Amino acid sequence: GNSVTQMEGPVTLSEEAFLTINCTYTATGYPSLFWYVQYPGEGLQLLLKATKADDKGSNKGFEATYRKETTSFHLEKGSVQVSDSAVYFCALSDPLDNAGNMLTFGGGTRLMVKP
Amino acid sequence: NAGVTQTPKFQVLKTGQSMTLQCAQDMNHEYMSWYRQDPGMGLRLIHYSVGAGITDQGEVPNGYNVSRSTTEDFPLRLLLAAPSQTSVYFCASRRQGYTGELFFGEGSRLTVL
């Protein structure tokens, strides 16, 4: 079956530091890949996506590149802010798995940014 | 612009009680789903629906029932609550064809004693 593995958290950084959150996946087909963000007390929000190999998704200064050869989709940001403190989830949608109706999530990585 | 609205936000039940978590969306989305979020396990899909009158099971459906009588509403029913169902529940919707691009509600925290 499909699976998504994220690095364990929490990740604690100082403001303006460089961020990397690792995500690797296992899928039967050619999945689409997503990063979601969950701010305290809120539901998840789609942050960025990539639908095919070598695609780069980007939003709000965050980037992730779909690497088929390493089955990875690592999230990066050049300079984090305190307001980026949240839990980040990597997810995949596999069209061979029930027509993509079942999104598979990783366990989430908590990011804490200190001023 | 309400988006996805869940009620209640908090609920405490005793083992064996029943309840319904409500979910409504005003975006005319065909697809709706329920997830549960447990520490360290990410989100797991309980049930989903691709349109009114159509529902299907997700990864962890046992102990939960759903129905979809209208496009807007997708309630989740717990018939005999168990402590293992203590969790945060999220309803999410999307437009058909936009696989993976979910809009989430704010969540419902359920505690079963």
Side-chain angles (χ1 to χ4, degrees):
Chain A
N2 299 329
S3 66
V4 177
T5 302
Q6 292 181 233
M7 59 191 295
E8 295 258 350
V11 174
T12 304
L13 296 173
S14 297
E15 208 164 23
E16 300 184 2
F18 184 86
L19 168 71
T20 300
I21 299 179
N22 291 339
C23 170
T24 57
Y25 68 88
T26 302
T28 51
Y30 296 94
S32 295
L33 301 172
F34 307 87
W35 277 101
Y36 279 83
V37 58
Q38 184 181 30
Y39 297 105
E42 299 183 9
L44 281 72
Q45 303 173 25
L46 180 63
L47 181 60
L48 54 84
K49 68 173 184 176
T51 57
K52 62 182 186 296
D54 300 325
D55 267 2
K56 177 184 284 188
S58 62
N59 186 25
K60 299 181 180 179
F62 291 90
E63 293 183 340
T65 301
Y66 187 165
R67 301 288 189 199
K68 184 181 174 185
E69 62 276 11
T70 55
T71 62
S72 65
F73 193 54
H74 304 322
L75 182 68
E76 297 181 335
K77 186 175 185 184
S79 176
V80 293
Q81 305 300 312
V82 172
S83 57
D84 293 326
S85 298
V87 181
Y88 293 81
F89 292 91
C90 186
L92 72 82
S93 175
D94 187 344
L96 292 185
D97 182 8
N98 205 346
N101 283 316
M102 300 181 68
L103 204 62
T104 301
F105 284 87
T109 302
R110 181 175 299 278
L111 170 66
M112 300 173 59
V113 181
K114 298 183 175 180
Chain B
N1 54 348
V4 179
T5 304
Q6 291 183 233
T7 56
K9 286 187 167 40
F10 300 95
Q11 183 72 47
V12 179
L13 290 178
K14 294 181 180 178
T15 297
Q17 288 185 320
S18 63
M19 76 158 300
T20 299
L21 298 176
Q22 302 290 345
C23 176
Q25 53 91 10
D26 62 358
M27 298 174 282
N28 203 30
H29 285 171
E30 300 89 347
Y31 178 97
M32 296 185 74
S33 56
W34 278 100
Y35 286 85
R36 59 178 289 172
Q37 183 181 30
D38 301 295
M41 300 185 72
L43 280 77
R44 291 180 292 169
L45 181 64
I46 304 171
H47 285 286
Y48 68 93
S49 168
V50 297
I54 306 169
T55 63
D56 208 343
Q57 296 181 352
E59 181 185 358
V60 288
N62 292 341
Y64 307 95
N65 281 350
V66 292
S67 60
R68 183 97 179 268
S69 56
T70 66
T71 299
E72 294 79 18
D73 300 299
F74 191 46
L76 178 71
R77 298 181 185 85
L78 286 72
L79 299 179
L80 289 172
S84 61
Q85 295 178 303
T86 294
S87 187
V88 180
Y89 291 85
F90 287 97
C91 181
S93 71
R94 63 169 171 80
R95 194 176 301 281
Q96 198 72 345
Y98 287 75
T99 304
E101 297 184 37
L102 293 169
F103 290 79
F104 281 82
E106 294 186 348
S108 299
R109 183 176 293 275
L110 174 66
T111 301
V112 183
L113 303 176

